[in-house]
Amino acid sequence: MTTTMANQVSDQEGPTPEQVRRGRRTAMLLFGLGFGPMIFATIMFYTGWLNPAGHTNNGTLVQPPVPVQTLNLESASGKPLADRFGPDKAEAKWMLLVVANDCDSSCEQLLYLTRQVNIALGKNANRVSRAAALGTVSADLETRWSEEYRLMERLAPVGGGKPAWPEAVDPETGSSILLVDPFGNVMMRYGRDHTGKDMLKDLKHLLKLSQIG
């Protein structure tokens, strides 16, 4: 093989430094276009920065946000909940998660509330998923679940362990609704003192600001 031919083969074996730099710039640009609005929306929601309407959240902020991994939850098929969130997941959604140790009447009211809020989102309903991590459930609710809450996923602690809930969230003393963003951060909590209108207003505001999830 001649020297000229060898050089040509060598040139074809890998990208040039300029091509590598161009590829990195392109990747960073695509990431910024895709996830920049989500990050910006989260900052604006927490701080109210650049918000002329003076919007304040109705739910209780979880500060600092808690990674969903720490909840140690999995689906009925054994897939970790955390696997569906993150900047590398194209189908990541917002999630309304109902948590309770004993799903009594107040717990079921929150189940109903999340369903109605999800419906009220209209064309944006598919951007928000619903799930429940419940301890004991009455036989009556179990019977009605497949009809009334069939689109609400049931989650359970991995290996029968105990989830590490965010501070101020104690399913043993009361039920709550946790809002998880598409990046997998538990960022807000709603309780029995919050209305569907409160939750709907927050969600509409977040979904309007963000094109991710």
Side-chain angles (χ1 to χ4, degrees), residues 38-59 61-63 65 187-188 205-206 209:
M38 174 61 209
I39 298 171
F40 189 62
T42 302
I43 294 172
M44 287 181 66
F45 192 81
Y46 273 101
T47 65
W49 179 51
L50 294 181
N51 189 351
H55 176 86
T56 56
N57 52 280
N58 295 298
L61 289 174
V62 175
Q63 295 182 316
M187 58 178 294
M188 199 168 301
H205 185 69
L206 280 168
L209 288 173

PDB file of all heavy atoms in Angstrom, residues 38-59 61-63 65 187-188 205-206 209:
ATOM      1  N   MET A  38     -37.653  23.243  29.915  1.00  0.00           N
ATOM      2  CA  MET A  38     -38.072  22.558  31.127  1.00  0.00           C
ATOM      3  C   MET A  38     -37.325  23.086  32.342  1.00  0.00           C
ATOM      4  O   MET A  38     -37.915  23.375  33.389  1.00  0.00           O
ATOM      5  CB  MET A  38     -37.821  21.053  30.961  1.00  0.00           C
ATOM      6  CG  MET A  38     -38.074  20.229  32.216  1.00  0.00           C
ATOM      7  SD  MET A  38     -39.769  20.328  32.770  1.00  0.00           S
ATOM      8  CE  MET A  38     -39.510  20.084  34.529  1.00  0.00           C
ATOM      9  N   ILE A  39     -36.003  23.239  32.198  1.00  0.00           N
ATOM     10  CA  ILE A  39     -35.197  23.757  33.299  1.00  0.00           C
ATOM     11  C   ILE A  39     -35.609  25.186  33.624  1.00  0.00           C
ATOM     12  O   ILE A  39     -35.772  25.565  34.786  1.00  0.00           O
ATOM     13  CB  ILE A  39     -33.701  23.695  32.932  1.00  0.00           C
ATOM     14  CG1 ILE A  39     -33.266  22.238  32.710  1.00  0.00           C
ATOM     15  CG2 ILE A  39     -32.843  24.343  34.010  1.00  0.00           C
ATOM     16  CD1 ILE A  39     -31.864  22.101  32.135  1.00  0.00           C
ATOM     17  N   PHE A  40     -35.790  25.986  32.585  1.00  0.00           N
ATOM     18  CA  PHE A  40     -36.183  27.381  32.758  1.00  0.00           C
ATOM     19  C   PHE A  40     -37.553  27.474  33.428  1.00  0.00           C
ATOM     20  O   PHE A  40     -37.778  28.296  34.319  1.00  0.00           O
ATOM     21  CB  PHE A  40     -36.222  28.059  31.395  1.00  0.00           C
ATOM     22  CG  PHE A  40     -36.414  29.550  31.457  1.00  0.00           C
ATOM     23  CD1 PHE A  40     -35.467  30.358  32.080  1.00  0.00           C
ATOM     24  CD2 PHE A  40     -37.530  30.145  30.889  1.00  0.00           C
ATOM     25  CE1 PHE A  40     -35.636  31.737  32.130  1.00  0.00           C
ATOM     26  CE2 PHE A  40     -37.707  31.526  30.942  1.00  0.00           C
ATOM     27  CZ  PHE A  40     -36.754  32.321  31.562  1.00  0.00           C
ATOM     28  N   ALA A  41     -38.481  26.605  33.012  1.00  0.00           N
ATOM     29  CA  ALA A  41     -39.823  26.610  33.582  1.00  0.00           C
ATOM     30  C   ALA A  41     -39.794  26.258  35.060  1.00  0.00           C
ATOM     31  O   ALA A  41     -40.507  26.849  35.875  1.00  0.00           O
ATOM     32  CB  ALA A  41     -40.715  25.616  32.832  1.00  0.00           C
ATOM     33  N   THR A  42     -38.952  25.298  35.427  1.00  0.00           N
ATOM     34  CA  THR A  42     -38.858  24.895  36.823  1.00  0.00           C
ATOM     35  C   THR A  42     -38.323  26.033  37.683  1.00  0.00           C
ATOM     36  O   THR A  42     -38.838  26.312  38.764  1.00  0.00           O
ATOM     37  CB  THR A  42     -37.936  23.664  36.961  1.00  0.00           C
ATOM     38  OG1 THR A  42     -38.460  22.603  36.158  1.00  0.00           O
ATOM     39  CG2 THR A  42     -37.863  23.201  38.406  1.00  0.00           C
ATOM     40  N   ILE A  43     -37.280  26.721  37.182  1.00  0.00           N
ATOM     41  CA  ILE A  43     -36.723  27.855  37.918  1.00  0.00           C
ATOM     42  C   ILE A  43     -37.774  28.951  38.083  1.00  0.00           C
ATOM     43  O   ILE A  43     -37.965  29.513  39.167  1.00  0.00           O
ATOM     44  CB  ILE A  43     -35.479  28.416  37.193  1.00  0.00           C
ATOM     45  CG1 ILE A  43     -34.342  27.382  37.222  1.00  0.00           C
ATOM     46  CG2 ILE A  43     -35.028  29.726  37.831  1.00  0.00           C
ATOM     47  CD1 ILE A  43     -33.150  27.777  36.378  1.00  0.00           C
ATOM     48  N   MET A  44     -38.483  29.241  37.012  1.00  0.00           N
ATOM     49  CA  MET A  44     -39.508  30.278  37.073  1.00  0.00           C
ATOM     50  C   MET A  44     -40.610  29.894  38.046  1.00  0.00           C
ATOM     51  O   MET A  44     -41.124  30.727  38.802  1.00  0.00           O
ATOM     52  CB  MET A  44     -40.099  30.516  35.680  1.00  0.00           C
ATOM     53  CG  MET A  44     -39.182  31.243  34.722  1.00  0.00           C
ATOM     54  SD  MET A  44     -39.950  31.502  33.106  1.00  0.00           S
ATOM     55  CE  MET A  44     -41.272  32.629  33.571  1.00  0.00           C
ATOM     56  N   PHE A  45     -40.982  28.617  38.054  1.00  0.00           N
ATOM     57  CA  PHE A  45     -42.087  28.197  38.921  1.00  0.00           C
ATOM     58  C   PHE A  45     -41.697  28.304  40.387  1.00  0.00           C
ATOM     59  O   PHE A  45     -42.492  28.727  41.227  1.00  0.00           O
ATOM     60  CB  PHE A  45     -42.486  26.762  38.584  1.00  0.00           C
ATOM     61  CG  PHE A  45     -43.776  26.351  39.224  1.00  0.00           C
ATOM     62  CD1 PHE A  45     -44.986  26.704  38.657  1.00  0.00           C
ATOM     63  CD2 PHE A  45     -43.788  25.620  40.398  1.00  0.00           C
ATOM     64  CE1 PHE A  45     -46.178  26.339  39.245  1.00  0.00           C
ATOM     65  CE2 PHE A  45     -44.974  25.253  40.987  1.00  0.00           C
ATOM     66  CZ  PHE A  45     -46.173  25.608  40.407  1.00  0.00           C
ATOM     67  N   TYR A  46     -40.474  27.919  40.710  1.00  0.00           N
ATOM     68  CA  TYR A  46     -40.032  27.971  42.099  1.00  0.00           C
ATOM     69  C   TYR A  46     -39.837  29.398  42.597  1.00  0.00           C
ATOM     70  O   TYR A  46     -40.102  29.701  43.757  1.00  0.00           O
ATOM     71  CB  TYR A  46     -38.710  27.202  42.255  1.00  0.00           C
ATOM     72  CG  TYR A  46     -38.883  25.734  42.512  1.00  0.00           C
ATOM     73  CD1 TYR A  46     -38.710  24.813  41.483  1.00  0.00           C
ATOM     74  CD2 TYR A  46     -39.223  25.253  43.767  1.00  0.00           C
ATOM     75  CE1 TYR A  46     -38.858  23.455  41.709  1.00  0.00           C
ATOM     76  CE2 TYR A  46     -39.380  23.896  43.998  1.00  0.00           C
ATOM     77  CZ  TYR A  46     -39.192  23.008  42.976  1.00  0.00           C
ATOM     78  OH  TYR A  46     -39.355  21.665  43.194  1.00  0.00           O
ATOM     79  N   THR A  47     -39.352  30.275  41.723  1.00  0.00           N
ATOM     80  CA  THR A  47     -38.966  31.614  42.165  1.00  0.00           C
ATOM     81  C   THR A  47     -39.935  32.718  41.767  1.00  0.00           C
ATOM     82  O   THR A  47     -39.925  33.787  42.358  1.00  0.00           O
ATOM     83  CB  THR A  47     -37.587  31.977  41.591  1.00  0.00           C
ATOM     84  OG1 THR A  47     -37.683  32.067  40.159  1.00  0.00           O
ATOM     85  CG2 THR A  47     -36.553  30.910  41.935  1.00  0.00           C
ATOM     86  N   GLY A  48     -40.767  32.458  40.742  1.00  0.00           N
ATOM     87  CA  GLY A  48     -41.640  33.510  40.240  1.00  0.00           C
ATOM     88  C   GLY A  48     -40.899  34.506  39.376  1.00  0.00           C
ATOM     89  O   GLY A  48     -41.433  35.545  38.984  1.00  0.00           O
ATOM     90  N   TRP A  49     -39.639  34.182  39.042  1.00  0.00           N
ATOM     91  CA  TRP A  49     -38.778  35.092  38.264  1.00  0.00           C
ATOM     92  C   TRP A  49     -39.373  35.348  36.886  1.00  0.00           C
ATOM     93  O   TRP A  49     -39.828  34.454  36.205  1.00  0.00           O
ATOM     94  CB  TRP A  49     -37.403  34.458  38.147  1.00  0.00           C
ATOM     95  CG  TRP A  49     -36.414  35.259  37.355  1.00  0.00           C
ATOM     96  CD1 TRP A  49     -36.102  36.565  37.509  1.00  0.00           C
ATOM     97  CD2 TRP A  49     -35.603  34.763  36.289  1.00  0.00           C
ATOM     98  NE1 TRP A  49     -35.145  36.930  36.607  1.00  0.00           N
ATOM     99  CE2 TRP A  49     -34.813  35.845  35.855  1.00  0.00           C
ATOM    100  CE3 TRP A  49     -35.463  33.527  35.670  1.00  0.00           C
ATOM    101  CZ2 TRP A  49     -33.906  35.728  34.821  1.00  0.00           C
ATOM    102  CZ3 TRP A  49     -34.544  33.397  34.649  1.00  0.00           C
ATOM    103  CH2 TRP A  49     -33.784  34.486  34.232  1.00  0.00           C
ATOM    104  N   LEU A  50     -39.362  36.590  36.481  1.00  0.00           N
ATOM    105  CA  LEU A  50     -39.862  37.019  35.174  1.00  0.00           C
ATOM    106  C   LEU A  50     -41.333  36.670  34.959  1.00  0.00           C
ATOM    107  O   LEU A  50     -41.766  36.459  33.843  1.00  0.00           O
ATOM    108  CB  LEU A  50     -39.025  36.393  34.043  1.00  0.00           C
ATOM    109  CG  LEU A  50     -37.566  36.849  33.952  1.00  0.00           C
ATOM    110  CD1 LEU A  50     -36.892  36.163  32.769  1.00  0.00           C
ATOM    111  CD2 LEU A  50     -37.449  38.358  33.831  1.00  0.00           C
ATOM    112  N   ASN A  51     -42.078  36.587  36.031  1.00  0.00           N
ATOM    113  CA  ASN A  51     -43.490  36.243  35.927  1.00  0.00           C
ATOM    114  C   ASN A  51     -44.326  37.478  36.221  1.00  0.00           C
ATOM    115  O   ASN A  51     -44.598  37.790  37.381  1.00  0.00           O
ATOM    116  CB  ASN A  51     -43.830  35.125  36.923  1.00  0.00           C
ATOM    117  CG  ASN A  51     -45.244  34.581  36.705  1.00  0.00           C
ATOM    118  OD1 ASN A  51     -46.012  35.152  35.938  1.00  0.00           O
ATOM    119  ND2 ASN A  51     -45.564  33.504  37.385  1.00  0.00           N
ATOM    120  N   PRO A  52     -44.771  38.196  35.202  1.00  0.00           N
ATOM    121  CA  PRO A  52     -45.500  39.442  35.422  1.00  0.00           C
ATOM    122  C   PRO A  52     -46.841  39.235  36.099  1.00  0.00           C
ATOM    123  O   PRO A  52     -47.377  40.125  36.720  1.00  0.00           O
ATOM    124  CB  PRO A  52     -45.685  39.996  33.996  1.00  0.00           C
ATOM    125  CG  PRO A  52     -45.611  38.791  33.119  1.00  0.00           C
ATOM    126  CD  PRO A  52     -44.604  37.890  33.773  1.00  0.00           C
ATOM    127  N   ALA A  53     -47.389  38.042  35.989  1.00  0.00           N
ATOM    128  CA  ALA A  53     -48.692  37.793  36.604  1.00  0.00           C
ATOM    129  C   ALA A  53     -48.567  37.537  38.094  1.00  0.00           C
ATOM    130  O   ALA A  53     -49.554  37.447  38.809  1.00  0.00           O
ATOM    131  CB  ALA A  53     -49.363  36.585  35.934  1.00  0.00           C
ATOM    132  N   GLY A  54     -47.330  37.415  38.583  1.00  0.00           N
ATOM    133  CA  GLY A  54     -47.114  37.170  39.994  1.00  0.00           C
ATOM    134  C   GLY A  54     -47.653  35.822  40.435  1.00  0.00           C
ATOM    135  O   GLY A  54     -48.173  35.679  41.530  1.00  0.00           O
ATOM    136  N   HIS A  55     -47.513  34.811  39.588  1.00  0.00           N
ATOM    137  CA  HIS A  55     -48.041  33.493  39.912  1.00  0.00           C
ATOM    138  C   HIS A  55     -47.342  32.897  41.127  1.00  0.00           C
ATOM    139  O   HIS A  55     -46.138  32.944  41.249  1.00  0.00           O
ATOM    140  CB  HIS A  55     -47.868  32.540  38.726  1.00  0.00           C
ATOM    141  CG  HIS A  55     -48.313  31.140  39.023  1.00  0.00           C
ATOM    142  ND1 HIS A  55     -49.621  30.741  38.876  1.00  0.00           N
ATOM    143  CD2 HIS A  55     -47.627  30.069  39.485  1.00  0.00           C
ATOM    144  CE1 HIS A  55     -49.717  29.477  39.215  1.00  0.00           C
ATOM    145  NE2 HIS A  55     -48.512  29.031  39.589  1.00  0.00           N
ATOM    146  N   THR A  56     -48.118  32.359  42.032  1.00  0.00           N
ATOM    147  CA  THR A  56     -47.578  31.603  43.154  1.00  0.00           C
ATOM    148  C   THR A  56     -48.198  30.224  43.115  1.00  0.00           C
ATOM    149  O   THR A  56     -49.365  30.060  42.763  1.00  0.00           O
ATOM    150  CB  THR A  56     -47.906  32.285  44.501  1.00  0.00           C
ATOM    151  OG1 THR A  56     -49.323  32.455  44.616  1.00  0.00           O
ATOM    152  CG2 THR A  56     -47.223  33.640  44.600  1.00  0.00           C
ATOM    153  N   ASN A  57     -47.397  29.223  43.467  1.00  0.00           N
ATOM    154  CA  ASN A  57     -47.917  27.871  43.437  1.00  0.00           C
ATOM    155  C   ASN A  57     -48.935  27.657  44.547  1.00  0.00           C
ATOM    156  O   ASN A  57     -48.867  28.252  45.618  1.00  0.00           O
ATOM    157  CB  ASN A  57     -46.769  26.875  43.572  1.00  0.00           C
ATOM    158  CG  ASN A  57     -45.893  27.172  44.776  1.00  0.00           C
ATOM    159  OD1 ASN A  57     -45.053  28.058  44.703  1.00  0.00           O
ATOM    160  ND2 ASN A  57     -46.099  26.464  45.873  1.00  0.00           N
ATOM    161  N   ASN A  58     -49.879  26.774  44.296  1.00  0.00           N
ATOM    162  CA  ASN A  58     -50.908  26.448  45.283  1.00  0.00           C
ATOM    163  C   ASN A  58     -50.523  25.247  46.135  1.00  0.00           C
ATOM    164  O   ASN A  58     -50.919  25.141  47.287  1.00  0.00           O
ATOM    165  CB  ASN A  58     -52.237  26.170  44.573  1.00  0.00           C
ATOM    166  CG  ASN A  58     -52.778  27.403  43.871  1.00  0.00           C
ATOM    167  OD1 ASN A  58     -53.064  28.406  44.494  1.00  0.00           O
ATOM    168  ND2 ASN A  58     -52.903  27.331  42.556  1.00  0.00           N
ATOM    169  N   GLY A  59     -49.743  24.328  45.543  1.00  0.00           N
ATOM    170  CA  GLY A  59     -49.285  23.174  46.301  1.00  0.00           C
ATOM    171  C   GLY A  59     -48.127  23.567  47.209  1.00  0.00           C
ATOM    172  O   GLY A  59     -47.614  24.680  47.162  1.00  0.00           O
ATOM    173  N   LEU A  61     -44.371  23.271  48.072  1.00  0.00           N
ATOM    174  CA  LEU A  61     -43.119  22.908  47.410  1.00  0.00           C
ATOM    175  C   LEU A  61     -42.314  21.946  48.268  1.00  0.00           C
ATOM    176  O   LEU A  61     -42.226  22.086  49.485  1.00  0.00           O
ATOM    177  CB  LEU A  61     -42.286  24.152  47.131  1.00  0.00           C
ATOM    178  CG  LEU A  61     -42.788  25.090  46.033  1.00  0.00           C
ATOM    179  CD1 LEU A  61     -41.927  26.349  46.000  1.00  0.00           C
ATOM    180  CD2 LEU A  61     -42.775  24.417  44.680  1.00  0.00           C
ATOM    181  N   VAL A  62     -41.726  20.966  47.618  1.00  0.00           N
ATOM    182  CA  VAL A  62     -40.794  20.052  48.275  1.00  0.00           C
ATOM    183  C   VAL A  62     -39.409  20.646  48.066  1.00  0.00           C
ATOM    184  O   VAL A  62     -38.897  20.661  46.948  1.00  0.00           O
ATOM    185  CB  VAL A  62     -40.878  18.634  47.670  1.00  0.00           C
ATOM    186  CG1 VAL A  62     -39.816  17.721  48.288  1.00  0.00           C
ATOM    187  CG2 VAL A  62     -42.272  18.045  47.870  1.00  0.00           C
ATOM    188  N   GLN A  63     -38.812  21.158  49.118  1.00  0.00           N
ATOM    189  CA  GLN A  63     -37.530  21.847  49.007  1.00  0.00           C
ATOM    190  C   GLN A  63     -36.498  21.229  49.949  1.00  0.00           C
ATOM    191  O   GLN A  63     -36.724  21.181  51.165  1.00  0.00           O
ATOM    192  CB  GLN A  63     -37.692  23.329  49.316  1.00  0.00           C
ATOM    193  CG  GLN A  63     -38.558  24.058  48.291  1.00  0.00           C
ATOM    194  CD  GLN A  63     -38.669  25.533  48.594  1.00  0.00           C
ATOM    195  OE1 GLN A  63     -38.868  25.947  49.734  1.00  0.00           O
ATOM    196  NE2 GLN A  63     -38.530  26.356  47.563  1.00  0.00           N
ATOM    197  N   PRO A  65     -36.051  19.547  46.015  1.00  0.00           N
ATOM    198  CA  PRO A  65     -36.766  18.457  45.350  1.00  0.00           C
ATOM    199  C   PRO A  65     -36.093  17.122  45.658  1.00  0.00           C
ATOM    200  O   PRO A  65     -34.879  17.047  45.829  1.00  0.00           O
ATOM    201  CB  PRO A  65     -36.637  18.812  43.862  1.00  0.00           C
ATOM    202  CG  PRO A  65     -36.420  20.291  43.851  1.00  0.00           C
ATOM    203  CD  PRO A  65     -35.604  20.589  45.064  1.00  0.00           C
ATOM    204  N   MET A 187     -41.436  17.393  43.331  1.00  0.00           N
ATOM    205  CA  MET A 187     -41.278  18.835  43.521  1.00  0.00           C
ATOM    206  C   MET A 187     -42.415  19.515  44.278  1.00  0.00           C
ATOM    207  O   MET A 187     -42.264  20.637  44.741  1.00  0.00           O
ATOM    208  CB  MET A 187     -41.117  19.516  42.163  1.00  0.00           C
ATOM    209  CG  MET A 187     -42.263  19.292  41.202  1.00  0.00           C
ATOM    210  SD  MET A 187     -42.056  20.161  39.617  1.00  0.00           S
ATOM    211  CE  MET A 187     -42.156  21.872  40.130  1.00  0.00           C
ATOM    212  N   MET A 188     -43.555  18.830  44.414  1.00  0.00           N
ATOM    213  CA  MET A 188     -44.671  19.481  45.079  1.00  0.00           C
ATOM    214  C   MET A 188     -45.582  18.453  45.734  1.00  0.00           C
ATOM    215  O   MET A 188     -45.643  17.291  45.314  1.00  0.00           O
ATOM    216  CB  MET A 188     -45.477  20.322  44.076  1.00  0.00           C
ATOM    217  CG  MET A 188     -46.366  21.370  44.725  1.00  0.00           C
ATOM    218  SD  MET A 188     -47.000  22.545  43.505  1.00  0.00           S
ATOM    219  CE  MET A 188     -45.487  23.209  42.844  1.00  0.00           C
ATOM    220  N   HIS A 205     -50.097  25.892  34.522  1.00  0.00           N
ATOM    221  CA  HIS A 205     -49.009  26.866  34.475  1.00  0.00           C
ATOM    222  C   HIS A 205     -47.698  26.186  34.082  1.00  0.00           C
ATOM    223  O   HIS A 205     -46.954  26.675  33.217  1.00  0.00           O
ATOM    224  CB  HIS A 205     -48.884  27.540  35.839  1.00  0.00           C
ATOM    225  CG  HIS A 205     -47.864  28.644  35.878  1.00  0.00           C
ATOM    226  ND1 HIS A 205     -48.041  29.841  35.202  1.00  0.00           N
ATOM    227  CD2 HIS A 205     -46.657  28.740  36.498  1.00  0.00           C
ATOM    228  CE1 HIS A 205     -46.990  30.622  35.413  1.00  0.00           C
ATOM    229  NE2 HIS A 205     -46.152  29.973  36.195  1.00  0.00           N
ATOM    230  N   LEU A 206     -47.411  25.048  34.684  1.00  0.00           N
ATOM    231  CA  LEU A 206     -46.173  24.320  34.379  1.00  0.00           C
ATOM    232  C   LEU A 206     -46.161  23.802  32.949  1.00  0.00           C
ATOM    233  O   LEU A 206     -45.148  23.905  32.255  1.00  0.00           O
ATOM    234  CB  LEU A 206     -46.007  23.143  35.358  1.00  0.00           C
ATOM    235  CG  LEU A 206     -45.461  23.508  36.728  1.00  0.00           C
ATOM    236  CD1 LEU A 206     -45.609  22.329  37.688  1.00  0.00           C
ATOM    237  CD2 LEU A 206     -43.991  23.917  36.647  1.00  0.00           C
ATOM    238  N   LEU A 209     -45.492  26.579  30.476  1.00  0.00           N
ATOM    239  CA  LEU A 209     -44.112  27.050  30.450  1.00  0.00           C
ATOM    240  C   LEU A 209     -43.174  26.041  29.802  1.00  0.00           C
ATOM    241  O   LEU A 209     -42.191  26.406  29.186  1.00  0.00           O
ATOM    242  CB  LEU A 209     -43.614  27.332  31.884  1.00  0.00           C
ATOM    243  CG  LEU A 209     -44.182  28.562  32.586  1.00  0.00           C
ATOM    244  CD1 LEU A 209     -43.716  28.588  34.030  1.00  0.00           C
ATOM    245  CD2 LEU A 209     -43.752  29.840  31.875  1.00  0.00           C
TER     246      LEU A 209
END
